[in-house]
Amino acid sequence: MKEISRKHILVTGGAGFLGSHLCERLVAQGHDVLCVDNFYTGAKDNIAHLLDCANFELMRHDVTFPLYVEVDEIYNLACPASPIHYQHDPVQTTKTSVHGAINMLGLAKRVKAKIFQASTSEVYGDARVHPQTEDYWGHVNPIGPRSCYDEGKRCAETLFTDYRRQHGLEIRIARIFNTYGPRMHPADGRVVSNFVMQALSGEPLTVYGDGSQTRSFCYVDDMIDAFIRFMNLISSPDGPVNLGNPFEISMRQIAEQIVEITNSSSVIEYRPLPIDDPWHRQPDITRATKLLAWKPMTPLHEGLAKTVRYFAKMLRFPEETALGQRRPGLAPWPQDRP
Ligand code: NAD
Ligand code: UDP
Ligand code: UDP
């Protein structure tokens, strides 16, 4: 007989950056985890260490096609997340967001599973409200290069909300803000992976625009903590919840910090700002803090140091250059824990 606390959990996009960390955590908690992925941006390497676990199963499947399995909970993470990846095949990105959501919601409805949606701060677009609160409807271009992702994720939020209203589904919509850490794809073009790879290789760090645009970065372990707390809430909260680290930093500042952490000789080079690049981004996490009794705990410099060590290992840097030490005589790291 199945133990009450041991659940069958489906993670779509489970071989990706966030998905692989989530699978790892759920497997460690003793749940039966089914990881579904079409390896569009994810990699078997990310979950290779789980393949021998009796409570982990991997299935190659594209969520734009129906899926018939029996599960208690679904984390729907399948979707390319970096601008380079999601703009590579924009039609497929929208299909994954929308058809993928419909299929996973249909599955959740049939088996009466709780379902979590990995939404995004991109639903706020180039926000006119700062920091972004959940009641802000956003400022999104419906026909720009980012629209396949932004509008796809917005439509998915609509679908989740309507399946709740119409069919009584137990839903969780997380608006995830920029998250970083080990297992980011080294060539996904996101700012942290780009800068770390460039700094470790001694290449110039490519800052887009004048680097004064801001983001707020959350370390992956903190984010996974929030996902699981959110799923485990007794009932669906009213509407989406922002998840992220409110510590805001400009792209120029983070470039400088990464150069310093890696002791790199790289210089900073300025490149054109991509179209529709949001100017400022910072989550208001009041709601998450109250609902989940959660806040991010990893300071940026600590998370960056762990990320640097991961990429250094991938590049086969010798151990002694595994970094994260501050040169003597410099001021302390900024107080970046909320
Ligand atoms: P990722 O690209 O590493 O992971 C996405 C995974 O989904 C990959 O393994 C990919 O192969 C898989 N996938 C893509 N299309 C699929 C399909 N049609 N069928 C099955 N699998 C498919 O990205 P990530 O950073 O881990 O993001 C995971 C989720 O979190 C995404 O939904 C993304 O939109 C969301 N999110 C991430 C961030 C972030 O900063 N990392 C921020 C906001 C939202
Ligand atoms: N679906 C699925 N797995 C299931 C149940 C449904 O993939 O276990 C898909 C199915 O392909 C359907 C979609 O989910 O197109 C939406 O299902 P729903 O029951 O909400 O709608 P309907 O089948 O009536 O279109
Ligand atoms: N960015 C940058 N250099 C890079 C990659 C990105 O300056 O090599 C900037 C990008 O223009 C944006 C910010 O960093 O302002 C975050 O970009 P990312 O692609 O990581 O995420 P998103 O724009 O989706 O927040």
Side-chain angles (χ1 to χ4, degrees), residues 44-323:
K44 269 198 196 145
D45 274 355
N46 287 338
I47 35 106
H49 60 297
L50 298 175
L51 292 173
D52 286 338
C53 300
N55 56 337
F56 180 78
E57 192 181 343
L58 172 64
M59 182 194 287
R60 180 190 286 265
H61 175 80
D62 182 329
V63 294
T64 62
F65 295 98
L67 176 68
Y68 288 84
V69 290
E70 309 302 314
V71 290
D72 305 307
E73 292 180 353
I74 303 167
Y75 287 86
N76 186 37
L77 272 61
C79 187
S82 89
I84 286 187
H85 285 157
Y86 69 64
Q87 290 171 25
H88 173 71
D89 185 347
V91 173
Q92 179 63 22
T93 299
T94 304
K95 281 184 186 169
T96 294
S97 290
V98 177
H99 293 178
I102 292 173
N103 286 329
M104 291 309 105
L105 286 161
L107 168 60
K109 188 179 95 182
R110 181 179 63 78
V111 300
K112 298 188 174 46
K114 269 199 261 185
I115 180 163
F116 170 105
Q117 167 65 357
S119 191
T120 168
S121 52
E122 283 285 320
V123 300
Y124 299 120
D126 193 5
R128 296 297 187 259
V129 165
H130 193 79
Q132 290 80 55
T133 45
E134 288 89 348
D135 56 4
Y136 176 50
W137 290 354
H139 181 248
V140 174
N141 179 355
I143 54 166
R146 298 175 85 102
S147 310
C148 57
Y149 184 72
D150 300 9
E151 296 290 19
K153 290 283 188 179
R154 285 168 70 94
C155 183
E157 287 200 5
T158 308
L159 284 161
F160 269 70
T161 309
D162 283 335
Y163 266 79
R164 181 191 180 197
R165 276 196 285 252
Q166 205 172 321
H167 299 299
L169 253 63
E170 271 287 331
I171 62 159
R172 310 282 185 267
I173 300 174
R175 290 188 177 153
I176 305 166
F177 284 64
N178 297 64
T179 306
Y180 70 99
R183 301 202 200 116
M184 291 185 88
H185 195 292
D188 72 2
R190 284 189 268 197
V191 68
V192 171
S193 42
N194 264 13
F195 286 177
V196 171
M197 289 295 286
Q198 290 162 342
L200 288 174
S201 315
E203 290 165 12
L205 273 67
T206 51
V207 170
Y208 302 156
D210 65 2
S212 58
Q213 73 272 32
T214 65
R215 294 292 185 272
S216 307
F217 295 97
C218 184
Y219 187 63
V220 60
D221 289 355
D222 290 329
M223 185 56 70
I224 300 303
D225 218 36
F227 283 11
I228 293 174
R229 281 170 188 256
F230 193 12
M231 184 63 113
N232 289 343
L233 279 184
I234 305 232
S235 58
S236 295
D238 231 359
V241 175
N242 287 340
L243 299 180
N245 188 327
F247 177 73
E248 190 180 4
I249 186 168
S250 76
M251 296 311 100
R252 196 174 337 114
Q253 286 172 312
I254 196 167
E256 286 163 1
Q257 192 157 333
I258 289 172
V259 167
E260 211 177 275
I261 289 177
T262 50
N263 290 324
S264 173
S265 56
S266 292
V267 296
I268 290 177
E269 270 182 16
Y270 293 88
R271 303 273 170 85
L273 192 66
I275 297 169
D276 292 341
D277 200 272
W279 187 236
H280 288 307
R281 192 181 285 154
Q282 183 190 34
D284 180 317
I285 58 163
T286 312
R287 204 151 185 241
T289 309
K290 275 195 200 137
L291 269 175
L292 314 179
W294 166 89
K295 64 178 183 178
M297 299 303 290
T298 314
L300 184 61
H301 66 87
E302 208 174 289
L304 284 177
K306 289 183 182 169
T307 310
V308 163
R309 277 185 223 116
Y310 168 79
F311 282 111
K313 203 167 164 198
M314 180 187 279
L315 291 171
R316 299 186 195 286
F317 271 46
E319 276 297 312
E320 59 274 18
T321 56
L323 319 148

